[in-house]
Amino acid sequence: DTEVTQTPKHLVMGMTNKKSLKCEQHMGHRAMYWYKQKAKKPPELMFVYSYEKLSINESVPSRFSPECPNSSLLNLHLHALQPEDSALYLCASSPSRGGRAGELFFGEGSRLTVL
Amino acid sequence: DAKTTQPNSMESNEEEPVHLPCNHSTISGTDYIHWYRQLPSQGPEYVIHGLTSNVNNRMASLAIAEDRKSSTLILHRATLRDAAVYYCILRAYSGSARQLTFGSGTQLTVLP
């Protein structure tokens, strides 16, 4: 199993809603990532978890709240978002050891629209 | 963080080789050079990576300059399915997790 699964694939929410994006992998990877990608732009790193601990937060606004409940799951909780937060949110994982250490495996992304 | 510079776009004919260049003049001695590609409506996928020596795999070859300030991704026979945005990335080590910072990428168009 070499997949990173993201749900939902599409999400539309109002600025007062609370929603969550979910990411799951069963490759035994201990590093997991959230990236944000706007149209025609490269992915931008948001958060990195290593061994279920938050290791990097790229100055992301607090309306985005990551959570890593176990080594296979990564969530991104969304609250009071702005229309400019509309984007494709990509989850990735990577092995921490071995020959493929550091290689990122990406999901297909969750496309978020904030009205 | 060291940065990469790539052409915005390139075109290739189907079944011909493609050479995608990348400049990374501020690369540090411990940075690995990674290439990823992103097909339309998909997440990025790993293509190849290297440190100093040229590398080959089933997807592509990576040629790294002797001074490591530039590299070239080589697709030996482009197919229509290779049309994608190709990202050249330097892998930095940060604390307990490695991170990848994407550059602007090259949009490859493959002509039939």
Side-chain angles (χ1 to χ4, degrees):
Chain A
D1 185 358
T2 58
E3 281 193 350
V4 175
T5 304
Q6 291 189 243
T7 54
K9 292 196 186 310
H10 300 273
L11 178 63
V12 180
M13 59 186 291
M15 289 189 286
T16 58
N17 293 157
K18 284 186 182 180
K19 297 286 184 182
S20 296
L21 305 180
K22 180 179 172 182
C23 174
E24 194 166 2
Q25 58 87 14
H26 296 286
M27 295 178 279
H29 294 171
R30 304 307 296 273
M32 297 187 76
Y33 308 74
W34 280 115
Y35 281 84
K36 172 182 176 180
Q37 187 175 27
K38 303 281 275 184
K40 307 284 188 190
K41 297 291 186 182
E44 297 176 13
L45 183 66
M46 300 176 71
F47 302 104
V48 180
Y49 273 83
S50 179
Y51 292 86
E52 295 89 70
K53 287 184 168 44
L54 182 65
S55 64
I56 295 172
N57 176 344
E58 292 285 359
S59 302
V60 179
S62 60
R63 57 186 184 270
F64 295 91
S65 175
E67 179 197 20
C68 190
N70 60 57
S71 60
S72 300
L73 282 176
L74 185 67
N75 298 320
L76 186 63
H77 303 298
L78 314 170
H79 174 54
L81 294 192
Q82 304 296 311
E84 58 265 27
D85 295 322
S86 299
L88 182 68
Y89 288 84
L90 292 160
C91 174
S93 68
S94 68
S96 300
R97 299 177 185 176
R100 302 189 80 171
E103 176 185 332
L104 291 183
F105 293 74
F106 282 87
E108 293 196 345
S110 293
R111 187 163 297 283
L112 173 68
T113 303
V114 182
L115 302 176
Chain B
D1 289 339
K3 302 293 184 194
T4 62
T5 304
Q6 300 175 254
N8 288 335
S9 61
M10 291 184 65
E11 277 188 359
S12 172
N13 294 320
E14 196 176 11
E15 299 191 4
E16 289 188 358
V18 181
H19 290 234
L20 297 165
C22 180
N23 287 320
H24 28 78
S25 57
T26 59
I27 189 170
S28 75
T30 55
D31 284 342
Y32 281 78
I33 301 158
H34 279 237
W35 285 81
Y36 283 72
R37 71 179 186 181
Q38 188 171 20
L39 280 67
S41 303
Q42 293 190 25
E45 65 172 342
Y46 169 84
V47 177
I48 201 167
H49 80 277
L51 183 61
T52 56
S53 305
N54 294 346
V55 185
N56 300 297
N57 66 20
R58 64 174 178 82
M59 288 181 72
S61 296
L62 176 60
I64 300 173
E66 197 169 329
D67 62 7
R68 301 208 329 124
K69 293 186 175 182
S70 65
S71 60
T72 302
L73 179 70
I74 303 165
L75 307 179
H76 295 287
R77 288 185 65 202
T79 70
L80 296 178
R81 288 174 295 178
D82 291 323
V85 179
Y86 286 78
Y87 294 102
C88 168
I89 304 158
L90 300 182
R91 190 188 81 191
Y93 181 82
S94 177
S96 60
R98 297 177 175 90
Q99 66 189 82
L100 294 181
T101 301
F102 284 73
S104 56
T106 297
Q107 174 70 62
L108 176 65
T109 301
V110 180
L111 304 173

